[in-house]
Amino acid sequence: MFQGSGGGLEPGADGAVEGAGAGGAGSLLKGGGRGPYVGADGGRGDGGGDGQEVAQGCDVTRPLGASGYHDPRAATGAPDGQKDIEGLSYPCPIVAHMTTNPAPERLSFKEADTRLVQALSASFEGNYDNVLLFDGDLVLEGGFLNAVAGICSLDDVNLVVITGDLTVSGPIALYGSLPGLYVRGTTRAETLEGGDCEIYIQDGTFTHLVYGDYNNGILETCTVETPWVINYDHDLRVDAPGARLVDNYGDDDDADFGSENIGESFVAEVVDPEGESIDVPEFLERLRAGLPVLRPGARTANDAASADVALADQVLHLDLSERARSARSPAPAPPAPVFDRRSGD
């Protein structure tokens, strides 16, 4: 039972496995680490004591009570001599509810690019040094950035790379210049929002919207499902069949909604004071609350244009029909001549 050479394990008061003694040397376990529970890569625990659990050599955020069972109320902390993930130079705690996720690895851009067969260099346009890589599917609770930061510090991380699927219960909102994001599998989240960084994903599903903010970053997808795509002068490379496109900047003639019809199409609560663009945070809050964002009878620019064309066609058809009927009708008979009997004619 996880026992390596170099010493036995002592049962605790509740029968759970503990180290050799509080603050003592502890037993050697699988992978050569110390302490009662060690991941496959042999991280080091606290030398027994409370019996802290280590995964992939990370610092501990899953302390076990004196009985050896997980105690969520126990204070977290890094015992002396912890080994970092794949050479990480800073603490990288593993969150308790993330234990089914792959442990992150910190790699150079070149190393990560080689692992993904040059997929990163084929996508990213900027120069990056440090990559936090999750090799497999990643499932996160809450917002993406906070959830990842809860697994491992994002200090000095330029890119977050997931080789499998990414599922996030909250938003993916990356407005800063770092970190960027690459997902090799399918991405699912409440929203996908990009600002100054580079984001590259494959297919995906986003409950409320995809949004690109300003022109410093890139957001590129394959085919995604989402009801709304909003662009504010962003390098937005999104394929979203069926989504309604909102141009929040005023330079996209192909958008469904732009400065010409936003004010008349959307409810006042989500329109900026000038009436020419969407207030994205208010818009998103109404979507989350299940409230309408469009006014009754609102039409996209294409719908309005189609309606105008249809009306013009109808008017033209009526005009041509009237002309055709006039052409088929016989000319009225000339009036009969009037004779003046008094003249003798």
Side-chain angles (χ1 to χ4, degrees):
M1 47 186 310
F2 300 107
Q3 181 177 349
S5 60
L9 299 176
E10 297 179 3
D14 293 338
V17 176
E18 291 185 342
S27 301
L28 293 176
L29 305 180
K30 180 180 178 181
R34 294 186 300 167
Y37 292 84
V38 179
D41 285 355
R44 293 185 293 175
D46 66 350
D50 289 341
Q52 297 215 353
E53 183 176 9
V54 178
Q56 292 281 79
C58 267
D59 291 320
V60 174
T61 60
R62 292 192 63 194
L64 305 182
S67 65
Y69 294 110
H70 169 57
D71 182 0
R73 298 166 298 177
T76 62
D80 294 336
Q82 288 281 341
K83 177 185 175 183
D84 297 320
I85 292 180
E86 299 292 332
L88 279 171
S89 59
Y90 48 78
C92 186
I94 298 295
V95 178
H97 70 272
M98 308 294 250
T99 53
T100 59
N101 287 324
E105 304 172 60
R106 183 172 178 175
L107 306 173
S108 69
F109 183 90
K110 183 177 181 180
E111 290 170 330
D113 194 36
T114 299
R115 182 86 67 87
L116 274 76
V117 197
Q118 283 68 56
L120 301 184
S121 57
S123 300
F124 286 92
E125 298 182 9
N127 296 317
Y128 302 99
D129 296 323
N130 302 319
V131 174
L132 191 67
L133 184 140
F134 293 87
D135 195 1
D137 296 340
L138 184 63
V139 180
L140 303 174
E141 296 180 11
F144 174 77
L145 272 183
N146 286 339
V148 173
I151 298 174
C152 190
S153 171
L154 288 172
D155 291 347
D156 299 325
V157 171
N158 302 145
L159 302 176
V160 178
V161 174
I162 295 98
T163 65
D165 296 341
L166 172 62
T167 302
V168 185
S169 67
I172 300 174
L174 303 176
Y175 288 97
S177 58
L178 298 173
L181 174 65
Y182 180 89
V183 182
R184 197 173 194 177
T186 300
T187 305
R188 302 173 184 87
E190 184 188 43
T191 67
L192 178 61
E193 306 165 52
D196 294 346
C197 65
E198 293 186 65
I199 300 173
Y200 299 93
I201 69 165
Q202 314 310 311
D203 294 346
T205 300
F206 304 98
T207 307
H208 297 309
L209 57 81
V210 173
Y211 175 52
D213 183 65
Y214 206 52
N215 58 17
N216 291 332
I218 300 170
L219 198 167
E220 180 175 299
T221 75
C222 290
T223 303
V224 298
E225 296 180 16
T226 190
W228 294 95
V229 175
I230 304 175
N231 190 6
Y232 179 69
D233 195 30
H234 197 68
D235 190 348
L236 195 62
R237 311 168 186 177
V238 174
D239 180 15
R244 285 162 286 191
L245 175 61
V246 179
D247 173 21
N248 237 20
Y249 190 73
D251 65 351
D252 187 350
D253 295 334
D254 295 326
D256 296 312
F257 299 98
S259 56
E260 299 83 5
N261 67 341
I262 282 178
E264 67 188 40
S265 301
F266 291 89
V267 297
E269 291 84 350
V270 304
V271 179
D272 74 340
E274 289 75 26
E276 295 184 349
S277 64
I278 292 295
D279 183 325
V280 176
E282 291 294 334
F283 184 83
L284 181 53
E285 284 307 306
R286 285 186 71 87
L287 292 178
R288 285 171 172 156
L291 298 173
V293 293
L294 286 171
R295 296 178 185 272
R299 298 183 299 179
T300 68
N302 289 335
D303 290 340
S306 298
D308 290 342
V309 170
L311 179 60
D313 286 344
Q314 183 180 11
V315 170
L316 179 60
H317 176 73
L318 291 175
D319 181 63
L320 293 176
S321 297
E322 183 61 30
R323 292 185 184 185
R325 281 196 297 270
S326 298
R328 290 194 300 267
S329 299
V338 178
F339 298 97
D340 188 350
R341 295 180 178 180
R342 292 176 298 175
S343 66
D345 294 336

Coordinates of all heavy atoms in Angstrom, one line a residue, residues 148-233:
V148 N -7.7 28.2 -13.1 CA -6.3 27.8 -13.4 C -5.4 28.3 -12.3 O -4.5 27.6 -11.8 CB -5.9 28.3 -14.8 CG1 -4.4 28.0 -15.0 CG2 -6.7 27.6 -15.8
A149 N -5.6 29.6 -11.9 CA -4.7 30.1 -10.8 C -4.9 29.4 -9.5 O -3.9 29.3 -8.7 CB -5.0 31.6 -10.6
G150 N -6.0 28.7 -9.3 CA -6.2 27.9 -8.1 C -5.5 26.6 -8.2 O -5.2 25.9 -7.2
I151 N -5.1 26.2 -9.4 CA -4.3 24.9 -9.6 C -2.9 25.2 -9.5 O -2.1 24.5 -8.9 CB -4.7 24.3 -11.0 CG1 -6.1 23.9 -11.1 CG2 -3.8 23.1 -11.2 CD1 -6.6 23.4 -12.4
C152 N -2.5 26.3 -10.2 CA -1.0 26.6 -10.3 C -0.9 28.1 -10.5 O -1.6 28.7 -11.3 CB -0.4 25.8 -11.4 SG 1.4 25.9 -11.4
S153 N 0.1 28.7 -9.9 CA 0.4 30.1 -10.0 C 0.6 30.5 -11.5 O 1.3 29.7 -12.2 CB 1.6 30.5 -9.2 OG 2.0 31.9 -9.6
L154 N 0.0 31.6 -11.9 CA 0.2 32.0 -13.3 C 1.3 33.1 -13.5 O 1.5 33.6 -14.5 CB -1.1 32.6 -13.8 CG -2.2 31.6 -14.1 CD1 -3.6 32.3 -14.4 CD2 -1.9 30.7 -15.2
D155 N 2.1 33.3 -12.4 CA 3.2 34.2 -12.5 C 4.2 33.7 -13.6 O 4.6 32.5 -13.6 CB 4.0 34.2 -11.2 CG 3.2 34.9 -10.1 OD1 2.1 35.6 -10.4 OD2 3.5 34.8 -8.9
D156 N 4.6 34.6 -14.5 CA 5.5 34.3 -15.5 C 5.0 33.3 -16.6 O 5.8 32.8 -17.4 CB 6.8 33.8 -15.0 CG 7.5 34.8 -14.0 OD1 7.4 36.0 -14.3 OD2 8.1 34.3 -13.1
V157 N 3.7 33.0 -16.6 CA 3.1 32.2 -17.6 C 2.6 33.0 -18.7 O 1.8 33.9 -18.6 CB 2.0 31.3 -17.0 CG1 1.2 30.6 -18.1 CG2 2.5 30.4 -16.0
N158 N 3.1 32.7 -19.9 CA 2.7 33.4 -21.1 C 1.5 32.8 -21.8 O 0.7 33.5 -22.4 CB 3.9 33.5 -22.1 CG 5.1 34.1 -21.6 OD1 6.3 33.8 -21.9 ND2 5.0 35.1 -20.7
L159 N 1.5 31.5 -21.9 CA 0.4 30.8 -22.5 C -0.1 29.6 -21.7 O 0.7 29.0 -21.0 CB 0.9 30.2 -23.9 CG 1.5 31.2 -24.9 CD1 2.0 30.4 -26.1 CD2 0.4 32.2 -25.3
V160 N -1.4 29.4 -21.7 CA -2.0 28.2 -21.2 C -2.4 27.3 -22.3 O -3.1 27.7 -23.2 CB -3.2 28.5 -20.3 CG1 -3.8 27.2 -19.7 CG2 -2.8 29.4 -19.1
V161 N -1.9 26.1 -22.3 CA -2.2 25.1 -23.4 C -2.9 23.9 -22.9 O -2.4 23.3 -21.9 CB -0.9 24.8 -24.2 CG1 -1.1 23.7 -25.2 CG2 -0.2 26.0 -24.8
I162 N -4.0 23.5 -23.5 CA -4.7 22.3 -23.1 C -4.7 21.3 -24.4 O -5.2 21.7 -25.4 CB -6.1 22.6 -22.7 CG1 -6.1 23.4 -21.4 CG2 -6.9 21.3 -22.5 CD1 -6.3 24.8 -21.6
T163 N -4.1 20.2 -24.2 CA -4.1 19.2 -25.4 C -5.4 18.5 -25.6 O -5.6 18.0 -26.7 CB -2.9 18.2 -25.2 OG1 -3.3 17.4 -24.0 CG2 -1.6 18.9 -24.9
G164 N -6.2 18.5 -24.6 CA -7.5 17.8 -24.8 C -8.7 18.8 -24.8 O -8.5 19.9 -25.3
D165 N -9.8 18.4 -24.3 CA -11.0 19.3 -24.2 C -10.9 20.2 -23.0 O -10.3 19.8 -22.0 CB -12.3 18.4 -24.1 CG -12.5 17.6 -25.4 OD1 -11.9 17.9 -26.4 OD2 -13.3 16.6 -25.3
L166 N -11.5 21.3 -23.2 CA -11.6 22.3 -22.0 C -13.0 22.6 -21.7 O -13.8 23.0 -22.6 CB -10.9 23.6 -22.4 CG -11.0 24.8 -21.4 CD1 -10.5 24.4 -20.0 CD2 -10.4 26.0 -21.9
T167 N -13.4 22.3 -20.5 CA -14.8 22.5 -20.1 C -14.8 23.4 -18.8 O -14.1 23.1 -17.8 CB -15.5 21.2 -19.7 OG1 -15.5 20.3 -20.9 CG2 -17.0 21.5 -19.3
V168 N -15.4 24.6 -18.9 CA -15.4 25.6 -17.9 C -16.9 25.9 -17.5 O -17.7 26.2 -18.4 CB -14.7 26.9 -18.3 CG1 -14.6 27.9 -17.2 CG2 -13.3 26.5 -18.9
S169 N -17.2 25.9 -16.3 CA -18.6 26.2 -15.9 C -18.9 27.7 -16.0 O -20.1 28.0 -16.1 CB -18.9 25.7 -14.5 OG -18.1 26.4 -13.5
G170 N -17.9 28.5 -15.9 CA -18.1 30.0 -16.0 C -17.5 30.5 -17.3 O -17.4 29.8 -18.3
P171 N -17.2 31.8 -17.3 CA -16.6 32.4 -18.5 C -15.2 32.1 -18.7 O -14.4 31.9 -17.8 CB -16.9 33.9 -18.2 CG -16.8 34.0 -16.7 CD -17.3 32.8 -16.2
I172 N -14.8 32.2 -20.0 CA -13.4 32.3 -20.4 C -13.2 33.8 -20.8 O -13.6 34.2 -21.9 CB -13.0 31.4 -21.5 CG1 -13.2 29.9 -21.1 CG2 -11.5 31.6 -21.9 CD1 -13.0 28.9 -22.2
A173 N -12.6 34.6 -19.9 CA -12.5 36.0 -20.2 C -11.0 36.4 -20.0 O -10.5 36.5 -18.9 CB -13.4 36.8 -19.2
L174 N -10.4 36.6 -21.1 CA -8.9 36.9 -21.1 C -8.7 38.3 -21.8 O -8.6 38.4 -23.0 CB -8.2 35.8 -21.9 CG -8.4 34.4 -21.4 CD1 -7.6 33.4 -22.4 CD2 -7.9 34.2 -20.0
Y175 N -8.7 39.3 -20.9 CA -8.6 40.7 -21.4 C -7.2 41.2 -21.4 O -6.8 42.2 -22.1 CB -9.5 41.6 -20.7 CG -11.0 41.4 -21.0 CD1 -11.8 40.6 -20.3 CD2 -11.5 42.0 -22.2 CE1 -13.1 40.4 -20.6 CE2 -12.9 41.8 -22.5 CZ -13.7 41.0 -21.7 OH -15.0 40.7 -22.1
G176 N -6.3 40.6 -20.6 CA -4.9 41.1 -20.5 C -4.1 40.6 -21.6 O -4.5 39.7 -22.4
S177 N -2.9 41.1 -21.7 CA -2.0 40.6 -22.8 C -1.5 39.2 -22.6 O -1.1 38.5 -23.5 CB -0.8 41.6 -23.0 OG -0.1 41.7 -21.8
L178 N -1.4 38.8 -21.3 CA -1.0 37.4 -20.9 C -1.9 36.9 -19.8 O -2.4 37.7 -19.0 CB 0.4 37.4 -20.4 CG 1.5 37.9 -21.4 CD1 2.9 38.0 -20.7 CD2 1.6 36.9 -22.6
P179 N -2.2 35.6 -19.8 CA -1.7 34.6 -20.7 C -2.6 34.5 -21.9 O -3.8 34.8 -21.8 CB -1.8 33.3 -19.8 CG -3.0 33.6 -18.9 CD -2.9 35.1 -18.6
G180 N -2.1 34.0 -23.0 CA -2.9 33.5 -24.1 C -3.4 32.1 -23.9 O -3.0 31.5 -22.9
L181 N -4.1 31.6 -24.8 CA -4.8 30.3 -24.7 C -4.8 29.5 -26.0 O -5.1 30.1 -27.0 CB -6.2 30.5 -24.2 CG -7.1 29.2 -24.1 CD1 -6.5 28.3 -23.0 CD2 -8.5 29.6 -23.8
Y182 N -4.5 28.3 -25.8 CA -4.6 27.3 -27.0 C -5.3 26.1 -26.5 O -4.8 25.5 -25.5 CB -3.2 27.0 -27.6 CG -3.3 26.0 -28.7 CD1 -3.4 26.5 -30.0 CD2 -3.2 24.6 -28.5 CE1 -3.5 25.6 -31.1 CE2 -3.3 23.8 -29.6 CZ -3.4 24.2 -30.9 OH -3.5 23.4 -31.9
V183 N -6.3 25.6 -27.2 CA -7.0 24.4 -26.8 C -7.0 23.5 -28.1 O -7.5 23.9 -29.1 CB -8.5 24.7 -26.4 CG1 -9.1 23.4 -26.0 CG2 -8.5 25.7 -25.2
R184 N -6.5 22.3 -27.9 CA -6.5 21.4 -29.0 C -7.8 20.6 -29.2 O -8.1 20.2 -30.4 CB -5.3 20.4 -28.8 CG -4.9 19.7 -30.1 CD -3.6 18.9 -29.8 NE -3.0 18.4 -31.0 CZ -1.9 17.7 -31.0 NH1 -1.2 17.4 -29.8 NH2 -1.3 17.3 -32.1
G185 N -8.5 20.5 -28.2 CA -9.8 19.7 -28.3 C -11.0 20.7 -28.4 O -10.9 21.8 -28.9
T186 N -12.1 20.2 -27.9 CA -13.3 21.0 -27.9 C -13.4 21.9 -26.6 O -13.1 21.5 -25.6 CB -14.6 20.1 -28.0 OG1 -14.5 19.3 -29.2 CG2 -15.9 20.9 -28.0
T187 N -13.9 23.1 -26.8 CA -14.0 24.1 -25.7 C -15.5 24.3 -25.4 O -16.2 24.6 -26.3 CB -13.3 25.4 -26.0 OG1 -11.9 25.1 -26.4 CG2 -13.3 26.3 -24.8
R188 N -15.8 24.2 -24.1 CA -17.2 24.5 -23.7 C -17.1 25.5 -22.5 O -16.4 25.2 -21.5 CB -17.9 23.2 -23.3 CG -18.0 22.2 -24.4 CD -18.6 20.9 -23.9 NE -18.6 19.9 -24.9 CZ -17.6 19.0 -25.1 NH1 -16.5 19.1 -24.4 NH2 -17.6 18.1 -26.1
A189 N -17.9 26.6 -22.5 CA -17.9 27.5 -21.5 C -19.1 28.4 -21.6 O -19.9 28.4 -22.6 CB -16.6 28.4 -21.5
E190 N -19.3 29.3 -20.6 CA -20.4 30.2 -20.6 C -20.2 31.3 -21.7 O -21.1 31.6 -22.4 CB -20.5 30.8 -19.2 CG -21.7 31.8 -19.1 CD -21.6 32.5 -17.7 OE1 -20.6 33.0 -17.4 OE2 -22.7 32.6 -17.1
T191 N -19.0 31.8 -21.7 CA -18.6 32.8 -22.7 C -17.2 32.6 -23.2 O -16.4 31.9 -22.5 CB -18.7 34.2 -22.2 OG1 -17.7 34.4 -21.2 CG2 -20.1 34.5 -21.6
L192 N -16.8 33.2 -24.3 CA -15.4 33.2 -24.7 C -15.2 34.7 -25.0 O -15.7 35.3 -26.0 CB -15.2 32.4 -26.0 CG -13.8 32.4 -26.6 CD1 -12.8 31.9 -25.5 CD2 -13.7 31.6 -27.8
E193 N -14.3 35.4 -24.2 CA -14.1 36.8 -24.3 C -12.6 37.0 -24.5 O -11.8 36.6 -23.6 CB -14.6 37.5 -23.1 CG -16.1 37.2 -22.8 CD -16.5 37.6 -21.4 OE1 -16.3 38.8 -21.1 OE2 -17.1 36.8 -20.7
G194 N -12.2 37.7 -25.5 CA -10.8 38.0 -25.7 C -10.5 39.5 -25.8 O -11.3 40.3 -26.3
G195 N -9.3 39.9 -25.2 CA -8.9 41.2 -25.3 C -7.5 41.4 -26.0 O -7.4 41.2 -27.2
D196 N -6.5 41.6 -25.1 CA -5.2 41.9 -25.7 C -4.3 40.7 -26.0 O -3.3 40.8 -26.6 CB -4.4 42.8 -24.8 CG -5.0 44.2 -24.6 OD1 -5.8 44.5 -25.4 OD2 -4.6 44.9 -23.7
C197 N -4.8 39.5 -25.6 CA -4.0 38.3 -25.8 C -4.4 37.6 -27.1 O -5.3 38.0 -27.8 CB -4.1 37.4 -24.6 SG -5.8 36.7 -24.4
E198 N -3.7 36.5 -27.4 CA -4.0 35.6 -28.5 C -4.7 34.3 -28.0 O -4.3 33.7 -27.0 CB -2.8 35.2 -29.3 CG -2.1 36.3 -30.0 CD -0.9 35.8 -30.8 OE1 -1.2 35.0 -31.8 OE2 0.3 36.1 -30.5
I199 N -5.9 34.0 -28.6 CA -6.6 32.8 -28.2 C -6.9 32.0 -29.5 O -7.4 32.6 -30.5 CB -8.0 33.2 -27.6 CG1 -7.8 34.1 -26.4 CG2 -8.8 32.0 -27.3 CD1 -9.1 34.6 -25.8
Y200 N -6.6 30.7 -29.4 CA -6.8 29.8 -30.6 C -7.5 28.6 -30.0 O -6.9 27.9 -29.2 CB -5.5 29.5 -31.3 CG -4.8 30.7 -31.8 CD1 -3.8 31.3 -31.1 CD2 -5.1 31.1 -33.1 CE1 -3.1 32.4 -31.6 CE2 -4.4 32.2 -33.6 CZ -3.5 32.9 -32.9 OH -2.8 34.0 -33.4
I201 N -8.7 28.3 -30.5 CA -9.4 27.1 -30.1 C -9.9 26.4 -31.4 O -9.9 27.0 -32.4 CB -10.5 27.4 -29.1 CG1 -11.7 28.1 -29.8 CG2 -10.1 28.1 -27.9 CD1 -13.0 28.1 -29.1
Q202 N -10.4 25.2 -31.2 CA -11.0 24.4 -32.3 C -12.5 24.6 -32.2 O -13.0 25.7 -32.0 CB -10.6 23.0 -32.2 CG -9.1 22.8 -31.9 CD -8.2 23.5 -32.8 OE1 -8.3 23.5 -34.1 NE2 -7.2 24.2 -32.3
D203 N -13.3 23.6 -32.3 CA -14.7 23.7 -32.2 C -15.1 24.0 -30.7 O -14.3 23.7 -29.8 CB -15.4 22.4 -32.6 CG -15.2 22.1 -34.1 OD1 -14.8 23.0 -34.8 OD2 -15.5 21.0 -34.5
G204 N -16.3 24.5 -30.5 CA -16.7 24.9 -29.2 C -18.1 25.2 -29.0 O -18.8 25.4 -30.0
T205 N -18.6 25.3 -27.8 CA -20.0 25.7 -27.5 C -19.9 26.7 -26.4 O -19.3 26.5 -25.3 CB -20.8 24.5 -27.1 OG1 -20.9 23.6 -28.2 CG2 -22.2 25.0 -26.8
F206 N -20.6 27.9 -26.6 CA -20.6 28.9 -25.6 C -22.0 29.4 -25.3 O -22.7 29.8 -26.2 CB -19.7 30.1 -26.0 CG -18.3 29.6 -26.3 CD1 -17.9 29.3 -27.6 CD2 -17.4 29.4 -25.3 CE1 -16.6 28.9 -27.9 CE2 -16.1 28.9 -25.6 CZ -15.7 28.6 -26.9
T207 N -22.4 29.3 -24.1 CA -23.8 29.5 -23.7 C -24.4 30.8 -24.1 O -25.5 30.9 -24.7 CB -24.0 29.3 -22.2 OG1 -23.4 28.0 -21.8 CG2 -25.5 29.3 -21.8
H208 N -23.6 31.9 -23.9 CA -24.2 33.2 -24.1 C -23.6 34.0 -25.3 O -24.3 34.5 -26.1 CB -24.0 34.0 -22.8 CG -24.7 33.5 -21.6 ND1 -26.1 33.2 -21.7 CD2 -24.3 33.2 -20.4 CE1 -26.5 32.7 -20.5 NE2 -25.4 32.7 -19.7
L209 N -22.2 34.0 -25.4 CA -21.7 34.9 -26.4 C -20.2 34.6 -26.6 O -19.5 34.0 -25.8 CB -21.9 36.4 -26.1 CG -21.3 36.9 -24.8 CD1 -19.8 37.2 -24.8 CD2 -22.1 38.2 -24.3
V210 N -19.7 35.1 -27.7 CA -18.3 35.2 -28.0 C -18.0 36.7 -28.3 O -18.8 37.4 -29.0 CB -17.8 34.4 -29.3 CG1 -16.4 34.7 -29.6 CG2 -18.0 32.9 -29.0
Y211 N -17.0 37.3 -27.6 CA -16.8 38.7 -27.7 C -15.3 39.0 -27.9 O -14.4 38.5 -27.2 CB -17.2 39.4 -26.4 CG -16.9 40.9 -26.3 CD1 -17.3 41.8 -27.3 CD2 -16.3 41.4 -25.2 CE1 -17.0 43.1 -27.2 CE2 -16.0 42.8 -25.0 CZ -16.4 43.6 -26.1 OH -16.1 44.9 -26.0
G212 N -15.0 39.9 -28.9 CA -13.6 40.4 -29.1 C -13.6 41.8 -28.8 O -14.3 42.7 -29.4
D213 N -12.7 42.2 -27.9 CA -12.6 43.6 -27.4 C -11.3 44.3 -27.9 O -10.2 43.9 -27.5 CB -12.6 43.6 -25.9 CG -12.6 45.0 -25.3 OD1 -13.6 45.8 -25.6 OD2 -11.6 45.4 -24.6
Y214 N -11.4 45.3 -28.7 CA -10.4 46.1 -29.2 C -9.4 45.4 -30.1 O -9.5 44.2 -30.3 CB -9.7 46.9 -28.1 CG -9.1 48.2 -28.6 CD1 -9.9 49.1 -29.3 CD2 -7.8 48.5 -28.4 CE1 -9.3 50.3 -29.8 CE2 -7.2 49.7 -28.8 CZ -8.0 50.6 -29.6 OH -7.4 51.7 -30.0
N215 N -8.4 46.1 -30.6 CA -7.6 45.5 -31.7 C -6.2 45.0 -31.4 O -5.4 44.9 -32.3 CB -7.5 46.6 -32.8 CG -6.9 47.9 -32.4 OD1 -6.3 47.9 -31.4 ND2 -7.1 48.9 -33.2
N216 N -5.9 44.8 -30.1 CA -4.6 44.3 -29.8 C -4.4 42.8 -29.8 O -3.3 42.3 -29.8 CB -4.2 44.9 -28.4 CG -4.0 46.4 -28.4 OD1 -3.7 47.0 -29.4 ND2 -4.2 47.0 -27.3
G217 N -5.5 42.1 -29.8 CA -5.4 40.6 -29.7 C -6.0 39.9 -30.9 O -6.5 40.6 -31.8
I218 N -6.0 38.6 -30.8 CA -6.6 37.8 -31.8 C -7.4 36.7 -31.1 O -7.0 36.1 -30.1 CB -5.5 37.1 -32.6 CG1 -4.6 38.1 -33.3 CG2 -6.1 36.1 -33.7 CD1 -3.4 37.5 -34.0
L219 N -8.6 36.5 -31.7 CA -9.5 35.4 -31.2 C -9.9 34.6 -32.4 O -10.6 35.0 -33.2 CB -10.7 35.9 -30.4 CG -11.4 34.9 -29.5 CD1 -12.4 35.7 -28.6 CD2 -12.2 33.9 -30.3
E220 N -9.4 33.3 -32.5 CA -9.6 32.5 -33.6 C -10.3 31.2 -33.2 O -9.8 30.5 -32.3 CB -8.3 32.2 -34.4 CG -8.5 31.4 -35.6 CD -7.2 31.2 -36.4 OE1 -6.7 32.3 -36.9 OE2 -6.7 30.1 -36.6
T221 N -11.3 30.8 -33.9 CA -12.0 29.5 -33.6 C -12.2 28.7 -34.9 O -12.1 29.3 -36.0 CB -13.3 29.7 -33.0 OG1 -14.3 30.1 -34.0 CG2 -13.3 30.7 -31.8
C222 N -12.5 27.4 -34.7 CA -13.1 26.7 -35.8 C -14.6 26.9 -35.7 O -15.0 28.0 -35.4 CB -12.7 25.2 -35.7 SG -10.9 24.9 -36.1
T223 N -15.4 25.9 -35.9 CA -16.9 26.1 -35.9 C -17.3 26.1 -34.4 O -17.1 25.1 -33.7 CB -17.6 25.0 -36.7 OG1 -17.1 25.1 -38.0 CG2 -19.1 25.3 -36.7
V224 N -18.1 27.1 -34.0 CA -18.6 27.2 -32.6 C -20.1 27.4 -32.6 O -20.6 28.0 -33.6 CB -17.8 28.3 -31.8 CG1 -16.4 28.0 -31.7 CG2 -18.1 29.6 -32.4
E225 N -20.7 27.0 -31.6 CA -22.1 27.2 -31.4 C -22.3 28.3 -30.3 O -21.8 28.1 -29.2 CB -22.9 26.0 -30.9 CG -22.8 24.9 -32.0 CD -23.6 23.6 -31.5 OE1 -24.3 23.7 -30.5 OE2 -23.4 22.6 -32.1
T226 N -23.0 29.4 -30.6 CA -23.3 30.4 -29.6 C -24.3 31.3 -30.2 O -24.4 31.5 -31.4 CB -22.0 31.3 -29.3 OG1 -22.2 32.1 -28.2 CG2 -21.5 32.1 -30.5
P227 N -25.2 31.9 -29.4 CA -26.2 32.8 -30.0 C -25.8 34.1 -30.4 O -26.4 34.7 -31.3 CB -27.3 32.9 -28.8 CG -26.5 32.6 -27.6 CD -25.4 31.7 -28.0
W228 N -24.7 34.7 -29.8 CA -24.3 36.0 -30.1 C -22.8 36.1 -30.3 O -22.0 35.5 -29.6 CB -24.6 37.0 -28.9 CG -26.1 37.2 -28.7 CD1 -26.9 36.5 -27.8 CD2 -26.9 38.1 -29.4 NE1 -28.2 36.9 -27.9 CE2 -28.3 37.9 -28.9 CE3 -26.7 39.0 -30.4 CZ2 -29.3 38.6 -29.3 CZ3 -27.8 39.7 -30.9 CH2 -29.1 39.6 -30.3
V229 N -22.4 36.9 -31.3 CA -20.9 37.2 -31.5 C -20.9 38.7 -31.6 O -21.5 39.4 -32.4 CB -20.4 36.6 -32.8 CG1 -19.0 37.1 -33.0 CG2 -20.4 35.1 -32.7
I230 N -20.1 39.3 -30.7 CA -20.0 40.8 -30.6 C -18.5 41.2 -30.8 O -17.6 40.6 -30.3 CB -20.4 41.3 -29.2 CG1 -21.8 40.8 -28.9 CG2 -20.3 42.8 -29.2 CD1 -22.3 41.2 -27.5
N231 N -18.3 42.1 -31.7 CA -17.0 42.5 -32.1 C -16.8 44.0 -31.9 O -17.6 44.8 -32.4 CB -16.7 42.2 -33.6 CG -15.2 42.3 -33.9 OD1 -14.4 42.6 -33.0 ND2 -14.9 42.1 -35.2
Y232 N -15.8 44.4 -31.1 CA -15.4 45.8 -31.0 C -14.0 46.0 -31.6 O -13.0 45.9 -30.9 CB -15.5 46.2 -29.5 CG -15.1 47.7 -29.3 CD1 -15.9 48.7 -29.8 CD2 -13.9 48.0 -28.7 CE1 -15.5 50.0 -29.6 CE2 -13.5 49.3 -28.5 CZ -14.3 50.3 -29.0 OH -13.9 51.7 -28.9
D233 N -13.9 46.1 -32.9 CA -12.7 46.4 -33.6 C -11.6 45.3 -33.2 O -10.4 45.7 -33.1 CB -12.2 47.8 -33.2 CG -11.1 48.3 -34.2 OD1 -11.1 47.8 -35.4 OD2 -10.2 49.0 -33.8

